[in-house]
Amino acid sequence: MQNVGEQGHMALLGHSLAAYISVLDRERLRKLTTRILSDTTLWLCRLFSYENGSAYFHEDDRDGLVKVCRLVINARYEEYSSEGYAVLCSKQPVIYQSASGRPGLGQHLCSQLGLPLSSLCTVPCNTIFGSQHQMDVALLDKLIKEDVEAGKLPLLLIANAGTPGAGHTDKLSRLRDLCDQHSMWLHVEGVNLATLALGQASSAIMAATRSDSMTLTPGQWLGLPAVTAVTLYRHEDPAMSLAAGLTSSQPVARLRALPLWLSLQHLGHDGIVHKIRHATALSQHLLQRLKALTSIKTSVEDELSSPVVLFKFSQDMSAASSGGSVEGFCAGEKEVLDAFNRWLGEQLVQWVPSSGVDVVELEDEGTCVRFSPLLTAAVLGTQQENTEELVEKLSELVPSMCSTMSLRQDFREEVHRHSPSLTYREQLSWPGLGAVWYEPQAEGMDESRREEELQKINSELLNKLQELDSDIIFSTGPEFGTEEECIFVGMVTEDVDVSELVDTVAALGRDIEESGRLLENMTEVVRKGILEAELQLQKANEEKLMEEGALRQLPLVGSVLNWFSPSKSSIKGRTFNLAAGSLDSTEGTYSSKAQAGRQSQQETPTSSSKKHPGQRLFRRSGGGSDSFSETSSIGQAEETPREGSSSPSVPPPSSPPEEDSHSAADAVAEETQEPAVEEHPHMEVEEEEEEEEERQPEGQEAEQSGR
């Protein structure tokens, strides 16, 4: 919510007071509203050096220009009041505007006036001499003469005293002379008109006082909420002004000036001048501070008095590249710089919101950050401390932007070195190191299955990269960006080891792919192992039946025979070793405890290099030696978590506990139909526990029971 100060409350009070005044009797209301309107008009004309002017107060800042156009049509077409639009067919009116003017303003005029779009002529800006945001006066003169020869009527020219984007001012003196030559109406608008109140405005701005009309927005300049815009104009015929809607015979319509009347009374002349002078001083202060920053390019119309400052990050990527050819890469340099400056503006808006900066897109300069305190300082309460914060934040962001820009080509070459497992995705609109995509090397998959596998592996790879103990941000890219899915790498610092970064991405991708493939193979191996175990147990049951005879299988007779002459034969269980993929008997497990001492077939990979204590991932060590940088092996990517990092790299297979080495991973399939087979495991488990208690040292009893 906007911070409403004391003068803001005064403006809001004016709306309530206007409602109360509207209930007065008609004669007293007429006298009061006439006095309010005349006083406000007189103050504004004196404040902005606009002599003998009238004022029209309107909510929409475009509405004043619409009414002025109607006034000019009534003045230039004498029969317009009686014949209407039919008189326009004899000579089509033409409205001229600058190419750097307010977007959509000309179309709005044609819509409100009922004119065809062919009545709108957009004049290009200078291309060789002068500012590239100023209207080309020579070309305008040529266009006017061509329209006159074509039987058209040049009606009105819209000039800028502060373009919406760059804040530049047209050559108003020459435009005034040109309008006089062709009997055209000159209308001026723009933020730089506020400096007319200072009394020491530049000659280019002072020329605006000679215009036929100009639109002011004092609510923005002075931080006054819900205050109308004002169009000052000069015309001698009050009847035409009434017909055009610039004046009203209704007293209530004149009350729109009351909030501004109260605010001007409250601020006074000195208060108004102080606010405008403070805003221009902020621009000058920021401009001087920005000149001291490297890789920051500023753009202002006049370094001594310009109230609008444009700046952007600028670095030659050809010179910044640390190696390799950049042919074909610089073709998109402008788009890359635009993306970086768009990111810079968003960061400044987020971290220093009270500065009031915003991002603008200009045709020649590209994407820039704009500081226009005349539009924002009074509302946001911007002070010199905020501009200092802005410069400090710039000083923090620019080094990382420079290093990222210089390493983009190195990142591209490193990814190409890992082809075809890694694919580099060209994303010129991404403000970061680049975009990469992991390509699994599986063969024999159909298109849909392969696409699903791609999405799954890259999604898991992104999650693991985001969990790494690193300052680099990995993401899925901008929210409203390209439809091509990639893993986007954000800004980096100059000490980042790009080779190690790409090696880690490739290693994690391979590890995820191999883990998925192992899981698929394990499913098939387990299924075959279960079938084989069932066949072996069935065969053992048949052999036992042949050995013991049929009498032992009878329920009552078999129990008596087993009591007199116990059977010595028993069916051994089966264990399935997932690591080896083999089916073994449980006889060795229960007799010699061989399985407890068997070593794991998978060795824990070790890293040949370790980070310094506290050093983040992908950082080159201070000595510059490569002995402390991680390599591309999976084991080294997995060593980092054991050194204190929170890296989520896939952990290496570790040695299982002594007793549960194979029991946790083995599937024991035993036939449950025979009573003897059911009792056998319970008897041997008890023997196993007794022997373990005898062998176990006293100091390890608590640990063994905890397992």
Side-chain angles (χ1 to χ4, degrees), residues 480-551:
F480 303 103
T482 175
E483 296 180 357
E484 192 175 20
E485 296 188 11
C486 313
I487 296 176
F488 290 83
V489 186
M491 294 285 177
V492 298
T493 54
E494 60 180 355
D495 59 347
V496 165
D497 191 337
V498 178
S499 176
E500 177 189 353
L501 170 63
V502 179
D503 289 345
T504 303
V505 174
L508 288 176
R510 285 194 303 268
D511 190 65
I512 294 172
E513 182 183 2
E514 292 172 0
S515 299
R517 194 179 304 161
L518 177 63
L519 184 60
E520 293 179 359
N521 296 338
M522 186 183 301
T523 303
E524 183 65 21
V525 170
V526 170
R527 187 183 66 82
K528 292 181 179 180
I530 292 175
L531 294 177
E532 183 180 354
E534 290 178 350
L535 292 176
Q536 291 186 11
L537 290 175
Q538 184 178 359
K539 183 178 179 181
N541 275 332
E542 294 176 355
E543 292 177 353
K544 179 181 178 181
L545 179 63
M546 296 297 295
E547 180 181 350
E548 295 178 351
L551 290 178

Side-chain angles (χ1 to χ4, degrees), residues 14-32:
H15 289 275
S16 301
L17 190 57
Y20 281 107
I21 293 176
S22 64
V23 301
L24 294 175
D25 62 87
R26 187 173 185 84
E27 184 61 25
R28 296 183 65 183
L29 178 62
R30 184 186 62 80
K31 292 181 179 180
L32 182 58

Side-chain angles (χ1 to χ4, degrees), residues 54-250:
S54 301
Y56 170 63
F57 300 88
H58 46 95
E59 302 292 339
D60 189 343
D61 57 1
R62 301 172 299 179
D63 194 34
L65 181 56
V66 173
K67 298 295 193 297
V68 166
C69 288
R70 287 179 180 164
L71 173 64
V72 180
I73 291 176
N74 277 279
R76 297 299 300 273
Y77 294 91
E78 297 179 357
E79 298 179 356
Y80 181 77
S81 58
S82 58
E83 299 295 333
Y85 291 105
V87 300
L88 303 181
C89 298
S90 59
K91 277 192 174 184
Q92 181 181 353
V94 182
I95 300 174
Y96 301 90
Q97 68 169 359
S98 173
S100 60
R102 233 191 315 178
L105 179 60
Q107 289 79 358
H108 177 75
L109 285 177
C110 292
S111 174
Q112 295 297 312
L113 298 172
L115 297 176
L117 290 178
S118 58
S119 295
L120 180 64
C121 179
T122 301
V123 183
C125 296
N126 297 322
T127 56
I128 301 177
F129 302 104
S131 169
Q132 295 180 344
H133 301 280
Q134 289 180 344
M135 189 185 305
D136 191 335
V137 181
L139 184 56
L140 172 63
D141 188 18
K142 180 181 178 182
L143 292 174
I144 293 175
K145 292 179 180 178
E146 291 177 354
D147 289 335
V148 172
E149 293 176 358
K152 297 181 181 180
L153 179 63
L155 189 69
L156 181 139
L157 172 64
I158 306 172
N160 293 297
T163 55
H168 288 210
T169 302
D170 291 325
K171 298 175 182 178
L172 299 179
S173 296
R174 293 183 59 189
L175 293 178
R176 175 72 270 178
D177 297 338
L178 191 62
C179 289
D180 291 339
Q181 179 182 347
H182 296 281
S183 301
M184 293 174 57
W185 185 283
L186 177 62
H187 178 83
V188 181
E189 62 177 21
V191 65
N192 293 351
L193 291 175
T195 59
L196 290 172
L198 300 179
Q200 52 185 7
S202 63
S203 58
I205 300 297
M206 288 301 297
T209 59
R210 297 172 53 202
S211 64
D212 297 299
S213 61
M214 62 181 183
T215 298
L216 311 175
T217 54
Q220 288 182 319
W221 305 339
L222 305 177
L224 306 175
V227 169
T228 60
V230 184
T231 295
L232 301 180
Y233 65 96
R234 295 189 183 100
H235 200 266
E236 298 177 355
D237 192 346
M240 286 189 179
S241 300
L242 182 62
L246 288 170
T247 58
S248 175
S249 59
Q250 299 296 325

Side-chain angles (χ1 to χ4, degrees), residues 646-657:
S646 60
S647 167
S649 303
V650 179
S654 57
S655 300

